[in-house]
Coordinates of all heavy atoms in Angstrom, one line a residue:
M1 N 60.6 112.6 109.9 CA 61.3 112.7 108.7 C 61.4 114.2 108.3 O 62.5 114.6 107.9 CB 60.6 111.9 107.6 CG 61.2 111.9 106.3 SD 62.6 110.8 106.3 CE 62.8 110.5 104.7
I2 N 60.3 114.9 108.4 CA 60.3 116.3 108.0 C 61.2 117.1 109.0 O 61.9 118.0 108.6 CB 58.9 116.9 108.0 CG1 58.2 116.2 106.8 CG2 58.9 118.4 107.8 CD1 56.7 116.6 106.7
A3 N 61.1 116.7 110.3 CA 61.9 117.5 111.3 C 63.4 117.3 111.1 O 64.2 118.2 111.2 CB 61.5 116.9 112.7
T4 N 63.8 116.1 110.7 CA 65.2 115.8 110.4 C 65.7 116.6 109.2 O 66.8 117.2 109.2 CB 65.4 114.3 110.1 OG1 64.9 113.5 111.2 CG2 66.9 114.1 109.9
A5 N 64.9 116.7 108.2 CA 65.2 117.5 107.0 C 65.3 119.0 107.3 O 66.3 119.7 106.9 CB 64.2 117.3 105.9
V6 N 64.4 119.5 108.1 CA 64.4 120.9 108.5 C 65.7 121.2 109.4 O 66.3 122.2 109.2 CB 63.1 121.3 109.3 CG1 63.3 122.7 110.0 CG2 61.9 121.2 108.4
L7 N 66.0 120.3 110.3 CA 67.2 120.5 111.1 C 68.5 120.5 110.3 O 69.3 121.3 110.5 CB 67.3 119.3 112.1 CG 68.5 119.4 113.1 CD1 68.4 120.6 114.0 CD2 68.5 118.1 113.9
L8 N 68.6 119.6 109.3 CA 69.7 119.6 108.4 C 69.8 120.9 107.6 O 70.9 121.4 107.4 CB 69.7 118.4 107.5 CG 70.0 117.0 108.2 CD1 69.8 115.9 107.2 CD2 71.4 117.0 108.8
Q9 N 68.7 121.4 107.1 CA 68.7 122.6 106.3 C 69.1 123.8 107.2 O 69.9 124.7 106.8 CB 67.3 122.9 105.7 CG 67.0 121.9 104.6 CD 65.6 122.1 104.1 OE1 64.8 122.9 104.7 NE2 65.3 121.4 103.0
L10 N 68.7 123.8 108.5 CA 69.1 124.9 109.4 C 70.6 124.8 109.7 O 71.2 125.9 109.7 CB 68.3 124.8 110.7 CG 66.8 125.2 110.6 CD1 66.1 125.0 111.9 CD2 66.7 126.7 110.3
L11 N 71.1 123.6 109.8 CA 72.6 123.5 110.0 C 73.4 124.0 108.8 O 74.4 124.7 108.9 CB 72.9 122.0 110.3 CG 72.6 121.6 111.7 CD1 72.8 120.0 111.9 CD2 73.3 122.3 112.8
I12 N 72.9 123.7 107.6 CA 73.6 124.1 106.4 C 73.5 125.6 106.3 O 74.5 126.3 106.0 CB 72.9 123.4 105.2 CG1 73.3 122.0 105.2 CG2 73.4 124.1 103.9 CD1 72.5 121.1 104.1
V13 N 72.3 126.2 106.6 CA 72.2 127.7 106.5 C 73.1 128.3 107.6 O 73.8 129.3 107.3 CB 70.7 128.1 106.7 CG1 70.6 129.6 106.9 CG2 70.0 127.7 105.4
A14 N 73.1 127.8 108.8 CA 74.0 128.3 109.8 C 75.5 128.3 109.4 O 76.2 129.2 109.7 CB 73.7 127.6 111.1
G15 N 75.9 127.2 108.8 CA 77.3 127.0 108.4 C 77.6 128.0 107.3 O 78.6 128.7 107.3
A16 N 76.7 128.2 106.4 CA 76.9 129.2 105.3 C 76.9 130.6 105.8 O 77.8 131.4 105.5 CB 75.8 129.1 104.2
L17 N 76.1 131.0 106.8 CA 76.2 132.3 107.4 C 77.5 132.5 108.2 O 78.1 133.6 108.2 CB 75.0 132.5 108.3 CG 73.6 132.7 107.6 CD1 72.5 132.7 108.7 CD2 73.6 133.9 106.8
Y18 N 77.9 131.4 108.9 CA 79.2 131.5 109.7 C 80.3 131.8 108.7 O 81.2 132.6 109.0 CB 79.4 130.3 110.5 CG 80.7 130.2 111.2 CD1 80.9 130.9 112.4 CD2 81.8 129.5 110.7 CE1 82.1 130.9 113.1 CE2 83.0 129.5 111.4 CZ 83.1 130.2 112.5 OH 84.3 130.1 113.2
D19 N 80.4 131.0 107.6 CA 81.5 131.2 106.6 C 81.5 132.6 106.0 O 82.5 133.2 105.9 CB 81.4 130.1 105.5 CG 81.8 128.8 106.0 OD1 82.5 128.7 107.1 OD2 81.5 127.8 105.4
T20 N 80.3 133.1 105.7 CA 80.2 134.4 105.1 C 80.6 135.5 106.1 O 81.4 136.4 105.8 CB 78.7 134.7 104.7 OG1 78.3 133.7 103.8 CG2 78.6 136.1 104.1
A21 N 80.2 135.3 107.4 CA 80.7 136.2 108.4 C 82.2 136.2 108.6 O 82.8 137.3 108.8 CB 80.0 135.9 109.8
C22 N 82.8 135.0 108.5 CA 84.3 134.9 108.7 C 85.0 135.6 107.5 O 86.0 136.2 107.7 CB 84.7 133.5 108.7 SG 84.3 132.7 110.3
L23 N 84.4 135.5 106.3 CA 85.0 136.1 105.1 C 84.9 137.6 105.2 O 85.8 138.3 104.7 CB 84.4 135.6 103.9 CG 84.8 134.2 103.5 CD1 83.9 133.7 102.3 CD2 86.2 134.0 103.2
L24 N 83.8 138.1 105.7 CA 83.6 139.6 105.8 C 84.2 140.3 107.0 O 84.1 141.5 107.1 CB 82.1 139.9 105.7 CG 81.4 139.4 104.4 CD1 79.9 139.7 104.5 CD2 82.0 140.1 103.2
A25 N 84.7 139.5 108.0 CA 85.2 140.0 109.2 C 86.4 140.8 108.9 O 87.2 140.6 108.0 CB 85.5 138.9 110.2
P26 N 86.7 141.9 109.7 CA 87.9 142.6 109.6 C 89.1 141.8 109.8 O 89.1 140.7 110.4 CB 87.8 143.7 110.6 CG 86.6 143.5 111.3 CD 85.9 142.4 110.8
D27 N 90.3 142.2 109.3 CA 91.5 141.4 109.4 C 91.9 141.2 110.8 O 92.6 140.2 111.1 CB 92.6 142.1 108.6 CG 92.5 141.9 107.1 OD1 91.7 141.0 106.7 OD2 93.1 142.7 106.4
G28 N 91.6 142.0 111.7 CA 92.1 141.9 113.1 C 91.5 140.6 113.8 O 92.2 140.1 114.6
T29 N 90.4 140.2 113.4 CA 89.9 139.0 114.0 C 90.4 137.7 113.4 O 90.1 136.6 113.9 CB 88.3 138.9 113.9 OG1 87.9 139.0 112.5 CG2 87.7 140.2 114.6
R30 N 91.1 137.8 112.3 CA 91.6 136.6 111.6 C 93.1 136.5 111.7 O 93.8 135.8 110.9 CB 91.2 136.7 110.1 CG 89.8 136.6 109.9 CD 89.3 136.5 108.4 NE 90.3 137.0 107.5 CZ 90.0 137.4 106.3 NH1 88.8 137.3 105.8 NH2 90.9 137.8 105.5
R31 N 93.7 137.1 112.7 CA 95.2 137.0 112.9 C 95.7 135.7 113.4 O 96.8 135.4 113.2 CB 95.7 138.2 113.7 CG 95.3 139.5 113.1 CD 96.6 140.3 112.9 NE 96.3 141.6 112.4 CZ 96.7 142.1 111.3 NH1 97.4 141.3 110.5 NH2 96.3 143.3 110.9
A32 N 94.9 135.0 114.2 CA 95.4 133.8 114.8 C 95.9 132.7 113.8 O 97.0 132.2 114.0 CB 94.3 133.2 115.7
P33 N 95.2 132.4 112.7 CA 95.8 131.5 111.8 C 97.1 131.9 111.2 O 98.0 131.2 110.9 CB 94.7 131.3 110.7 CG 93.5 131.7 111.4 CD 93.9 132.7 112.4
R34 N 97.2 133.2 110.9 CA 98.5 133.8 110.4 C 99.6 133.6 111.4 O 100.7 133.3 110.9 CB 98.3 135.2 110.0 CG 97.4 135.5 108.8 CD 97.3 136.9 108.5 NE 96.3 137.1 107.5 CZ 95.7 138.3 107.3 NH1 96.1 139.3 108.0 NH2 94.8 138.4 106.3
R35 N 99.3 133.8 112.6 CA 100.4 133.6 113.6 C 100.8 132.2 113.7 O 102.0 131.9 113.8 CB 99.9 134.1 115.0 CG 99.8 135.5 115.2 CD 99.5 135.9 116.6 NE 99.1 137.3 116.7 CZ 98.1 137.7 117.3 NH1 97.3 136.9 118.0 NH2 97.8 139.0 117.3
R36 N 99.8 131.3 113.6 CA 100.2 129.9 113.6 C 101.0 129.5 112.4 O 102.0 128.8 112.5 CB 98.9 129.0 113.6 CG 98.7 128.4 114.9 CD 97.5 127.5 114.9 NE 96.3 128.4 114.9 CZ 95.2 128.2 114.3 NH1 95.0 127.1 113.6 NH2 94.2 129.0 114.4
L37 N 100.6 130.1 111.2 CA 101.4 129.8 110.0 C 102.8 130.4 110.1 O 103.8 129.7 109.7 CB 100.7 130.4 108.8 CG 101.3 130.2 107.5 CD1 101.4 128.7 107.2 CD2 100.5 131.0 106.4
R38 N 103.0 131.6 110.7 CA 104.3 132.2 110.8 C 105.1 131.3 111.8 O 106.3 131.1 111.6 CB 104.1 133.6 111.4 CG 105.4 134.4 111.4 CD 105.2 135.8 111.8 NE 104.0 136.5 111.4 CZ 103.2 137.1 112.1 NH1 103.4 137.2 113.4 NH2 102.1 137.7 111.6
Y39 N 104.5 130.8 112.9 CA 105.2 130.0 113.8 C 105.7 128.7 113.2 O 106.8 128.2 113.3 CB 104.4 129.7 115.0 CG 105.0 128.7 116.0 CD1 106.0 129.0 116.8 CD2 104.6 127.4 115.9 CE1 106.6 128.1 117.6 CE2 105.2 126.4 116.8 CZ 106.2 126.8 117.6 OH 106.8 125.9 118.4
H40 N 104.8 128.1 112.3 CA 105.1 126.9 111.7 C 106.2 127.0 110.7 O 107.1 126.3 110.6 CB 103.8 126.4 110.9 CG 104.0 125.0 110.3 ND1 104.2 123.9 111.0 CD2 104.1 124.7 109.0 CE1 104.4 122.9 110.2 NE2 104.2 123.3 109.0
R41 N 106.2 128.2 109.9 CA 107.3 128.4 109.0 C 108.6 128.6 109.8 O 109.7 128.1 109.3 CB 107.0 129.7 108.2 CG 106.1 129.4 107.0 CD 106.1 130.7 106.1 NE 105.0 130.6 105.2 CZ 104.3 131.6 104.9 NH1 104.6 132.8 105.4 NH2 103.3 131.5 104.1
A42 N 108.6 129.4 110.9 CA 109.8 129.6 111.6 C 110.3 128.3 112.2 O 111.6 128.1 112.2 CB 109.5 130.6 112.7
A43 N 109.5 127.4 112.6 CA 109.9 126.1 113.1 C 110.5 125.3 112.0 O 111.5 124.6 112.2 CB 108.7 125.4 113.8
L44 N 109.9 125.3 110.8 CA 110.5 124.6 109.7 C 111.9 125.1 109.3 O 112.8 124.4 109.0 CB 109.6 124.6 108.5 CG 108.4 123.7 108.6 CD1 107.5 124.0 107.4 CD2 108.8 122.3 108.6
E45 N 112.0 126.5 109.4 CA 113.4 127.1 109.1 C 114.4 126.7 110.1 O 115.5 126.4 109.8 CB 113.2 128.6 109.0 CG 112.5 129.0 107.8 CD 112.3 130.5 107.7 OE1 112.8 131.2 108.6 OE2 111.6 131.0 106.8
R46 N 114.0 126.7 111.4 CA 114.9 126.3 112.4 C 115.3 124.8 112.2 O 116.5 124.5 112.4 CB 114.3 126.4 113.8 CG 114.3 127.8 114.3 CD 113.9 127.9 115.8 NE 112.7 127.3 116.1 CZ 111.5 127.9 116.1 NH1 111.4 129.2 115.7 NH2 110.4 127.2 116.4
A47 N 114.4 124.0 111.9 CA 114.7 122.6 111.7 C 115.6 122.4 110.5 O 116.5 121.6 110.5 CB 113.4 121.8 111.5
E48 N 115.4 123.2 109.4 CA 116.3 123.1 108.3 C 117.7 123.6 108.6 O 118.7 122.9 108.2 CB 115.7 124.0 107.2 CG 116.5 124.0 105.9 CD 115.9 124.8 104.8 OE1 114.9 125.3 105.0 OE2 116.6 124.9 103.7
R49 N 117.8 124.6 109.4 CA 119.2 125.1 109.8 C 119.9 124.0 110.6 O 121.1 123.8 110.5 CB 119.1 126.4 110.5 CG 118.9 127.6 109.6 CD 119.1 128.9 110.4 NE 118.2 129.1 111.4 CZ 117.0 129.8 111.3 NH1 116.7 130.2 110.1 NH2 116.2 129.9 112.3
R50 N 119.1 123.4 111.5 CA 119.7 122.4 112.4 C 120.1 121.2 111.6 O 121.2 120.6 111.8 CB 118.6 122.0 113.4 CG 119.1 121.0 114.5 CD 118.1 120.6 115.5 NE 117.3 121.7 116.0 CZ 116.0 121.8 115.8 NH1 115.3 120.9 115.3 NH2 115.3 122.9 116.3
L51 N 119.4 120.9 110.6 CA 119.7 119.7 109.7 C 120.9 120.0 108.9 O 121.8 119.2 108.7 CB 118.5 119.4 108.8 CG 118.6 118.2 107.9 CD1 118.8 116.9 108.7 CD2 117.3 118.1 107.1
V52 N 121.1 121.2 108.3 CA 122.2 121.6 107.5 C 123.5 121.6 108.5 O 124.5 121.1 108.1 CB 122.1 123.0 106.9 CG1 123.4 123.5 106.4 CG2 121.0 122.9 105.8
D53 N 123.3 122.1 109.7 CA 124.4 122.0 110.7 C 124.8 120.6 110.9 O 126.0 120.3 111.0 CB 124.0 122.7 112.0 CG 125.1 122.8 113.0 OD1 126.2 123.3 112.6 OD2 124.9 122.3 114.1
Q54 N 123.9 119.7 111.1 CA 124.2 118.3 111.4 C 125.0 117.7 110.2 O 125.9 116.9 110.3 CB 123.0 117.5 111.7 CG 122.4 117.8 113.0 CD 121.0 117.0 113.2 OE1 120.5 116.5 112.2 NE2 120.5 117.0 114.4
R55 N 124.5 118.0 109.0 CA 125.2 117.5 107.7 C 126.6 118.1 107.6 O 127.6 117.3 107.3 CB 124.3 117.8 106.5 CG 124.9 117.4 105.2 CD 125.0 115.9 105.1 NE 125.6 115.5 103.9 CZ 126.6 114.6 103.8 NH1 127.0 113.9 104.9 NH2 127.1 114.3 102.6
L56 N 126.8 119.3 107.8 CA 128.1 120.0 107.7 C 129.1 119.5 108.7 O 130.3 119.4 108.4 CB 128.0 121.5 107.8 CG 127.3 122.2 106.6 CD1 127.2 123.7 106.9 CD2 128.1 122.0 105.3
H57 N 128.6 119.1 109.9 CA 129.5 118.6 110.9 C 129.6 117.0 110.9 O 130.2 116.5 111.8 CB 129.1 119.1 112.3 CG 129.3 120.5 112.5 ND1 128.3 121.5 112.2 CD2 130.4 121.2 112.9 CE1 128.8 122.6 112.5 NE2 130.1 122.5 112.8
G58 N 129.1 116.4 109.9 CA 129.2 115.0 109.7 C 128.4 114.1 110.7 O 128.7 112.9 110.9
R59 N 127.4 114.7 111.3 CA 126.6 113.9 112.3 C 125.5 113.0 111.6 O 125.1 112.0 112.2 CB 125.9 114.8 113.2 CG 126.8 115.6 114.1 CD 126.0 116.5 115.1 NE 126.9 117.5 115.6 CZ 126.6 118.8 115.7 NH1 125.4 119.2 115.3 NH2 127.5 119.6 116.3
I60 N 125.2 113.3 110.3 CA 124.2 112.5 109.6 C 124.8 112.3 108.2 O 125.6 113.1 107.7 CB 122.8 113.1 109.5 CG1 122.9 114.4 108.8 CG2 122.2 113.1 110.8 CD1 121.5 115.0 108.6
D61 N 124.4 111.2 107.5 CA 125.0 110.9 106.2 C 124.1 111.5 105.2 O 123.0 112.1 105.5 CB 125.1 109.4 106.0 CG 123.8 108.7 106.1 OD1 122.8 109.3 106.5 OD2 123.7 107.5 105.7
E62 N 124.4 111.4 103.9 CA 123.7 112.1 102.8 C 122.3 111.5 102.6 O 121.4 112.3 102.4 CB 124.5 111.9 101.5 CG 123.9 112.6 100.3 CD 124.7 112.5 99.1 OE1 125.9 112.0 99.1 OE2 124.2 112.9 98.0
A63 N 122.1 110.2 102.8 CA 120.8 109.6 102.6 C 119.8 110.1 103.7 O 118.7 110.5 103.4 CB 120.9 108.1 102.6
A64 N 120.3 110.2 104.9 CA 119.4 110.8 106.0 C 119.1 112.2 105.7 O 118.0 112.7 106.0 CB 120.1 110.5 107.3
Y65 N 120.1 113.0 105.3 CA 120.0 114.4 105.0 C 118.9 114.6 104.0 O 118.0 115.4 104.1 CB 121.3 115.0 104.6 CG 121.2 116.4 104.2 CD1 121.1 117.4 105.1 CD2 121.3 116.8 102.8 CE1 121.1 118.8 104.7 CE2 121.2 118.1 102.4 CZ 121.1 119.1 103.3 OH 121.0 120.4 103.0
R66 N 119.0 113.8 102.8 CA 118.0 114.0 101.8 C 116.6 113.6 102.2 O 115.6 114.3 101.9 CB 118.4 113.1 100.6 CG 119.6 113.7 99.9 CD 119.8 112.9 98.6 NE 121.0 113.4 97.9 CZ 121.3 113.2 96.7 NH1 120.5 112.4 96.0 NH2 122.3 113.7 96.1
A67 N 116.5 112.5 103.0 CA 115.2 112.1 103.4 C 114.6 113.1 104.4 O 113.4 113.4 104.2 CB 115.3 110.7 104.2
R68 N 115.4 113.7 105.3 CA 114.8 114.7 106.2 C 114.5 116.0 105.5 O 113.5 116.6 105.8 CB 115.8 114.9 107.3 CG 115.9 113.7 108.3 CD 116.9 114.0 109.4 NE 117.0 112.8 110.2 CZ 117.9 112.7 111.2 NH1 118.6 113.8 111.5 NH2 118.0 111.7 112.0
M69 N 115.3 116.4 104.5 CA 115.1 117.6 103.8 C 113.8 117.4 103.0 O 113.0 118.4 102.8 CB 116.2 117.9 102.9 CG 117.3 118.7 103.6 SD 116.7 120.2 104.3 CE 117.9 121.3 103.7
R70 N 113.6 116.2 102.4 CA 112.3 116.0 101.7 C 111.1 116.1 102.6 O 110.1 116.7 102.2 CB 112.4 114.6 101.1 CG 111.2 114.3 100.1 CD 111.3 113.0 99.4 NE 112.5 113.0 98.6 CZ 113.5 112.1 98.7 NH1 113.5 111.2 99.6 NH2 114.6 112.2 97.9
S71 N 111.2 115.6 103.8 CA 110.1 115.7 104.7 C 109.9 117.1 105.1 O 108.7 117.6 105.3 CB 110.3 114.8 105.9 OG 111.3 115.3 106.8
L72 N 111.0 117.9 105.3 CA 110.8 119.4 105.6 C 110.1 120.1 104.4 O 109.3 120.9 104.6 CB 112.1 120.0 105.9 CG 112.7 119.6 107.3 CD1 114.1 120.3 107.4 CD2 111.8 120.1 108.3
A73 N 110.5 119.7 103.2 CA 109.9 120.3 102.0 C 108.4 120.0 101.9 O 107.6 120.8 101.4 CB 110.6 119.9 100.7
D74 N 108.0 118.9 102.4 CA 106.6 118.5 102.5 C 105.9 119.2 103.6 O 104.7 119.0 103.8 CB 106.5 117.0 102.5 CG 106.9 116.3 101.3 OD1 106.9 117.0 100.2 OD2 107.2 115.1 101.3
G75 N 106.6 119.9 104.5 CA 106.0 120.6 105.6 C 105.9 119.8 106.9 O 105.3 120.1 107.8
R76 N 106.6 118.6 106.9 CA 106.6 117.8 108.1 C 107.9 117.9 108.8 O 109.0 117.9 108.2 CB 106.4 116.3 107.7 CG 105.1 116.0 107.1 CD 104.9 114.6 106.8 NE 106.1 113.9 106.2 CZ 106.2 113.7 104.9 NH1 105.1 114.1 104.1 NH2 107.2 113.1 104.3
R77 N 107.8 118.1 110.1 CA 109.1 118.0 111.0 C 109.2 116.7 111.6 O 108.2 116.1 112.0 CB 109.0 119.1 112.1 CG 109.1 120.5 111.5 CD 109.1 121.5 112.7 NE 108.4 121.0 113.8 CZ 108.1 121.7 114.9 NH1 108.5 122.9 114.9 NH2 107.4 121.2 115.9
Q78 N 110.4 116.2 111.8 CA 110.6 114.9 112.4 C 111.1 115.2 113.8 O 111.6 116.3 114.1 CB 111.6 114.1 111.7 CG 111.2 113.7 110.3 CD 112.2 112.9 109.5 OE1 113.4 112.9 110.0 NE2 111.9 112.3 108.5
S79 N 111.0 114.2 114.7 CA 111.6 114.4 116.0 C 113.1 114.1 115.8 O 113.5 113.1 115.3 CB 110.9 113.4 117.0 OG 111.2 112.0 116.5
W80 N 113.8 115.0 116.4 CA 115.3 114.9 116.2 C 115.8 114.3 117.5 O 116.1 114.9 118.5 CB 115.9 116.3 116.0 CG 115.3 117.0 114.9 CD1 114.3 117.9 115.0 CD2 115.5 116.9 113.5 NE1 113.9 118.4 113.7 CE2 114.7 117.7 112.8 CE3 116.5 116.1 112.8 CZ2 114.7 117.8 111.4 CZ3 116.5 116.2 111.4 CH2 115.6 117.1 110.8
R81 N 116.0 113.0 117.4 CA 116.5 112.2 118.6 C 117.9 112.5 118.9 O 118.3 112.6 120.1 CB 116.2 110.7 118.4 CG 114.8 110.4 118.3 CD 114.5 108.9 118.2 NE 113.1 108.7 118.1 CZ 112.6 107.7 117.4 NH1 113.4 106.9 116.8 NH2 111.3 107.6 117.3
G82 N 118.7 112.6 117.9 CA 120.2 112.8 118.2 C 120.5 114.3 118.2 O 121.6 114.7 117.8
R83 N 119.7 115.1 118.8 CA 119.8 116.5 118.8 C 120.9 117.0 119.8 O 120.8 116.5 121.0 CB 118.5 117.1 119.1 CG 118.4 118.6 118.9 CD 117.0 119.0 118.9 NE 116.9 120.2 119.8 CZ 115.7 120.6 120.1 NH1 114.6 120.0 119.8 NH2 115.7 121.7 120.9
H84 N 121.8 117.8 119.4 CA 122.8 118.3 120.3 C 122.4 119.7 120.8 O 121.9 120.5 120.0 CB 124.1 118.4 119.7 CG 124.7 117.1 119.2 ND1 125.3 116.2 120.1 CD2 124.6 116.4 118.0 CE1 125.6 115.1 119.4 NE2 125.2 115.2 118.2
R85 N 122.5 120.0 122.0 CA 122.1 121.3 122.5 C 123.3 122.2 122.8 O 124.3 121.9 123.1 CB 121.3 121.2 123.8 CG 120.0 120.5 123.5 CD 119.2 120.3 124.8 NE 118.1 119.4 124.5 CZ 116.9 119.6 125.0 NH1 116.7 120.5 125.9 NH2 116.0 118.8 124.7

């Protein structure tokens, strides 16, 4: 019982130290999440442009356009099955 409590306390302390080290680390070591975020934003923008193009050329109706734009606004991309290359 005591061993389990000590192990859990050590895990909590280790997690707290890790979080503190991540917060105090120089910006150079924390660039990967920013790159992922930048890639995600760019992908959402490409999907939005593609969706507007489909709407302007009459490939999708207004209801589908609104539903897909709403999902893009929520940060979700859909698979574009009728995609023209």
Side-chain angles (χ1 to χ4, degrees):
M1 182 78 161
I2 294 175
T4 305
V6 169
L7 180 63
L8 289 175
Q9 288 176 353
L10 286 175
L11 286 174
I12 290 171
V13 169
L17 289 175
Y18 176 78
D19 287 342
T20 303
C22 285
L23 288 173
L24 296 177
D27 286 340
T29 59
R30 297 186 334 200
R31 297 240 183 239
R34 289 182 188 159
R35 286 186 194 137
R36 253 182 285 144
L37 182 61
R38 191 176 319 128
Y39 172 77
H40 185 67
R41 276 193 198 139
L44 285 173
E45 288 175 8
R46 282 192 306 271
E48 183 178 354
R49 281 193 298 270
R50 189 179 312 122
L51 185 58
V52 169
D53 184 56
Q54 288 175 349
R55 177 67 183 132
L56 289 175
H57 290 93
R59 295 183 196 132
I60 59 174
D61 62 349
E62 185 178 349
Y65 175 77
R66 285 185 183 200
R68 290 181 184 177
M69 277 301 228
R70 186 174 299 121
S71 70
L72 285 177
D74 292 337
R76 295 186 309 264
R77 289 186 329 189
Q78 295 178 348
S79 61
W80 305 97
R81 293 185 184 147
R83 191 167 134 190
H84 297 279
R85 293 178 188 216

